[in-house]
Amino acid sequence: MVVVLTLSREAAITVADLGEFGLIAAIQEILPPDTTAIVGVGDDAAVLPAPDGRTVASTDLLIEGRHFRRVWSTGRDIGVKAAAQNLADIAAMGAVPTALLFGLAVPADTAVTWVLELTEGLVAECDRAGAVIAGGDVTGADTVMLGITALGNLGGREPVTRRGARPGDVLAISGMVGRSAAGLAILQAGVDPASAPGLADLVAAHRRPRPDYQAGPLAAAAGATAMIDISDGLVADVGHVGAASGVRVDIEAARLPIPGLREAAALLGADWRDWALGGGEDHALAASFPAGASLPTGWLVIGTIGRGNGVLVDNRPWHGRGGWDHFPAC
Amino acid sequence: MVVVLTLSREAAITVADLGEFGLIAAIQEILPPDTTAIVGVGDDAAVLPAPDGRTVASTDLLIEGRHFRRVWSTGRDIGVKAAAQNLADIAAMGAVPTALLFGLAVPADTAVTWVLELTEGLVAECDRAGAVIAGGDVTGADTVMLGITALGNLGGREPVTRRGARPGDVLAISGMVGRSAAGLAILQAGVDPASAPGLADLVAAHRRPRPDYQAGPLAAAAGATAMIDISDGLVADVGHVGAASGVRVDIEAARLPIPGLREAAALLGADWRDWALGGGEDHALAASFPAGASLPTGWLVIGTIGRGNGVLVDNRPWHGRGGWDHFPAC
């Protein structure tokens, strides 16, 4: 096994050189010892503790050229991002992420080093969330594709769905919005991130989102009535909460935490509100709380819940960039 | 919603016409009501019962052109096959499949009818296994890709891993081998399945494997010492059991259940043993049992477990087709 790993760290070694089972062995070699799984990586299925008698589960696909580009992100960046977006879905239910399963499709000429870096990114983000990698699948494909499933533990709490927001609640977020979209815009414009203060942080936010996984369970414990992971864009995602709960959502733009966004937008000739209100992939959490509830550390009120439907920004419908549709009309 | 569904059944309507959220709505429309999930489809994550305090989980990717071809299989066939191969992994641990999550990537010009047929195939196979569809994700891609995760319930039993086979055990299988490979060979050769008796059954076995999901939990209850889903080929997969258990596996070819295989091989000028010993994707289960154990209905002894390592077929190493490698050396 050590021989495989040593060989596989040479940049010239491709996935085809190792073969499927060699690649799996090389990946398993760098996974940290899993002390929580009852049956871990390497069998037909993993067996994991579900101590409160329930399992929280979410799955996502990431496709090269649509969700990431290898020229803009390292293998490690892509691993971090893939793990983060799924683990954040678990936190958004009020659960603690516990395990991750990943399917990886790569072209045969992919460098094994790249696959191992991606795995290291998955491992690092799981580690940050307190989760383990419990299983996976590798296969060939013409482009890189990832299928990620995250599991979590509610620890006896009731799940916080999208359906419980009530008129009179406040709307709050944990984390920042628009940073990933700003970082992507900087990369797309070919602007040197070192050319102005703050740009590098925005590019890093695009490459490696940093959800606060504890914010979800803390919000649940504090009485959050509804919660969602902001993956498609703030307006689009709180719109999902509004639709599921049968309420109107009012956002006050001036309350949004957007450090560095106005400056970067001015530099690029862009509108910071497009990023903050329409940009996805920051994986901040949005939640509604009863008015007067004591919000956990890190949660910031950005609006209110009212009677009606739809999303208003500063009392007006939002007509800017509207969030992400994976099948935009041609 | 009904309007969406009615529209979406017209063959000319594409995924791009509906958009991501319209497609999700159309898919949700045909999912049967889920009476088991605590939180089902349509939130950030599903919340599912895990009544014995453990969860069994397995994930797989299926890529167009590698795991299926749309010219050879209908959307429904592909849905059935994608569900079956993951649900069989759960059964192979001795667990009862309970839920399935699916990620679906499709080109924007894909007919919505095709996506709905695929969903119907997933639903039908989940129904056959007693599982529900608990969540999913849709996105665009240049080719069709599926990321499937299956979950299961051990019902208080110990998981049956690949590691427990002992010298003196018998080797048994539930289900047949080589049928999917034979069906694929018939399709590849362009032979009309109606041209000889039995060919249509083999093609059907390739398109829609029919694992016996109860066979896994029954084997566990009967004392199976090790178990595996035959996905890569009989020799390759019992080889995994042998390697994990530190034992030798002896197969008696004459005992293999291969109805129709010899006749089809003669017709195509192929070797039936290549199909039966090397062909994957039938998703039969192989398990070792203590000598003298009373095997559950449907399980058939095909060999023995001995001291040593490797796999022997009729006392000789097998040099035929060796199972499936997703990155064959060029």
Side-chain angles (χ1 to χ4, degrees):
Chain A
M1 287 294 201
V2 174
V3 175
V4 169
L5 182 61
T6 308
L7 275 177
S8 63
R9 286 292 183 176
E10 293 177 23
I13 305 281
T14 68
V15 161
D17 293 332
L18 278 193
E20 180 182 357
F21 297 106
L23 181 64
I24 291 172
I27 289 172
Q28 287 184 350
E29 187 82 10
I30 62 166
L31 296 181
D34 178 0
T35 54
T36 64
I38 298 162
V39 176
V41 171
D43 220 297
D44 289 51
V47 182
L48 303 160
D52 87 346
R54 296 170 297 177
T55 301
V56 184
S58 180
T59 198
D60 264 327
L61 293 179
L62 290 92
I63 314 282
E64 179 172 19
R66 293 172 190 254
H67 299 96
F68 60 85
R69 291 179 190 278
R70 281 192 272 175
V71 292
W72 287 345
S73 298
T74 65
R76 190 180 171 97
D77 290 341
I78 295 164
V80 166
K81 183 172 178 169
Q85 79 172 54
N86 276 270
L87 297 165
D89 279 328
I90 301 300
M93 302 304 289
V96 175
T98 52
L100 193 117
L101 298 98
F102 74 102
L104 172 63
V106 288
D109 63 359
T110 306
V112 170
T113 49
W114 188 87
V115 174
L116 296 180
E117 284 164 15
L118 180 135
T119 306
E120 286 169 348
L122 292 167
V123 168
E125 193 63 15
C126 280
D127 200 45
R128 210 169 71 76
V132 299
I133 290 182
D137 179 37
V138 299
T139 188
D142 294 333
T143 55
V144 176
M145 295 182 269
L146 283 154
I148 308 277
T149 299
L151 302 175
N153 172 27
L154 282 162
R157 289 177 299 278
E158 284 309 296
V160 184
T161 69
R162 302 176 178 182
R163 307 176 68 91
R166 296 164 309 190
D169 285 353
V170 297
L171 176 70
I173 64 173
S174 163
M176 295 181 278
V177 287
R179 297 176 71 75
S180 177
L184 177 61
I186 292 164
L187 289 169
Q188 285 175 328
V191 172
D192 178 3
S195 63
L199 299 190
D201 287 350
L202 296 173
V203 169
H206 172 70
R207 290 182 170 142
R208 296 181 302 277
R210 308 267 300 172
D212 178 358
Y213 300 110
Q214 297 187 346
L218 286 174
T225 52
M227 187 151 49
I228 194 165
D229 161 48
I230 304 172
S231 54
D232 290 331
L234 177 61
V235 169
D237 285 316
V238 300
H240 296 319
V241 170
S245 298
V247 296
R248 192 188 72 235
V249 180
D250 288 285
I251 296 170
E252 292 178 56
R255 288 178 176 266
L256 295 173
I258 48 155
L261 230 54
R262 288 171 195 269
E263 297 80 352
L267 197 74
L268 270 70
D271 186 334
W272 67 267
R273 292 175 304 176
D274 281 348
W275 294 340
L277 296 164
E281 301 200 339
D282 289 288
H283 303 292
L285 301 179
S288 52
F289 292 87
S294 178
L295 266 51
T297 305
W299 283 89
L300 187 71
V301 171
I302 61 162
T304 54
I305 306 295
R307 292 185 195 284
N309 59 65
V311 180
L312 299 181
V313 177
D314 298 336
N315 299 314
R316 286 193 295 272
W318 169 245
H319 293 299
R321 181 175 142 170
W324 188 253
D325 187 324
H326 286 103
F327 304 104
C330 302
Chain B
M1 287 296 201
V2 175
V3 175
V4 169
L5 182 60
T6 308
L7 275 177
S8 63
R9 286 292 183 176
E10 293 177 23
I13 304 282
T14 68
V15 162
D17 293 333
L18 278 193
E20 180 182 357
F21 297 106
L23 181 64
I24 291 172
I27 289 172
Q28 287 184 350
E29 186 83 9
I30 62 167
L31 296 181
D34 178 1
T35 55
T36 63
I38 299 161
V39 176
V41 172
D43 220 297
D44 289 50
V47 182
L48 303 159
D52 88 347
R54 296 170 297 177
T55 301
V56 183
S58 180
T59 198
D60 263 327
L61 293 179
L62 289 91
I63 314 281
E64 179 172 19
R66 293 173 190 254
H67 299 97
F68 60 84
R69 292 180 190 277
R70 280 192 273 175
V71 292
W72 286 345
S73 298
T74 66
R76 191 180 171 97
D77 290 341
I78 295 163
V80 166
K81 184 173 179 169
Q85 79 173 55
N86 276 270
L87 297 165
D89 279 327
I90 301 300
M93 301 303 291
V96 175
T98 52
L100 192 115
L101 299 98
F102 74 102
L104 172 63
V106 289
D109 63 359
T110 306
V112 171
T113 49
W114 187 88
V115 174
L116 296 180
E117 284 164 15
L118 180 136
T119 306
E120 286 169 349
L122 291 167
V123 168
E125 193 63 14
C126 280
D127 199 46
R128 208 170 72 75
V132 299
I133 290 182
D137 179 36
V138 299
T139 189
D142 293 333
T143 55
V144 175
M145 185 187 89
L146 283 154
I148 308 276
T149 298
L151 302 175
N153 172 28
L154 282 161
R157 288 177 299 278
E158 283 309 296
V160 184
T161 69
R162 301 176 178 182
R163 308 175 68 91
R166 297 166 307 191
D169 285 353
V170 296
L171 176 70
I173 63 172
S174 162
M176 294 181 279
V177 286
R179 295 176 70 77
S180 178
L184 177 61
I186 292 164
L187 289 168
Q188 285 174 328
V191 171
D192 178 3
S195 64
L199 299 190
D201 287 349
L202 297 174
V203 169
H206 172 70
R207 289 180 171 143
R208 295 181 303 276
R210 308 265 302 171
D212 178 358
Y213 301 110
Q214 296 187 347
L218 286 174
T225 52
M227 187 152 48
I228 193 165
D229 161 47
I230 304 172
S231 54
D232 291 331
L234 177 60
V235 169
D237 285 317
V238 299
H240 296 319
V241 170
S245 298
V247 296
R248 193 189 70 235
V249 181
D250 288 284
I251 296 171
E252 293 179 57
R255 288 177 175 265
L256 295 173
I258 48 154
L261 229 54
R262 288 172 195 267
E263 297 80 353
L267 198 74
L268 269 69
D271 186 335
W272 67 268
R273 292 175 304 174
D274 281 348
W275 295 341
L277 295 165
E281 302 201 337
D282 289 287
H283 302 292
L285 300 180
S288 52
F289 293 87
S294 178
L295 266 51
T297 306
W299 283 89
L300 186 72
V301 171
I302 61 162
T304 54
I305 305 295
R307 293 186 194 283
N309 59 66
V311 180
L312 299 181
V313 177
D314 298 335
N315 299 313
R316 286 193 295 272
W318 168 245
H319 292 299
R321 181 175 143 169
W324 189 253
D325 187 325
H326 286 102
F327 305 104
C330 301

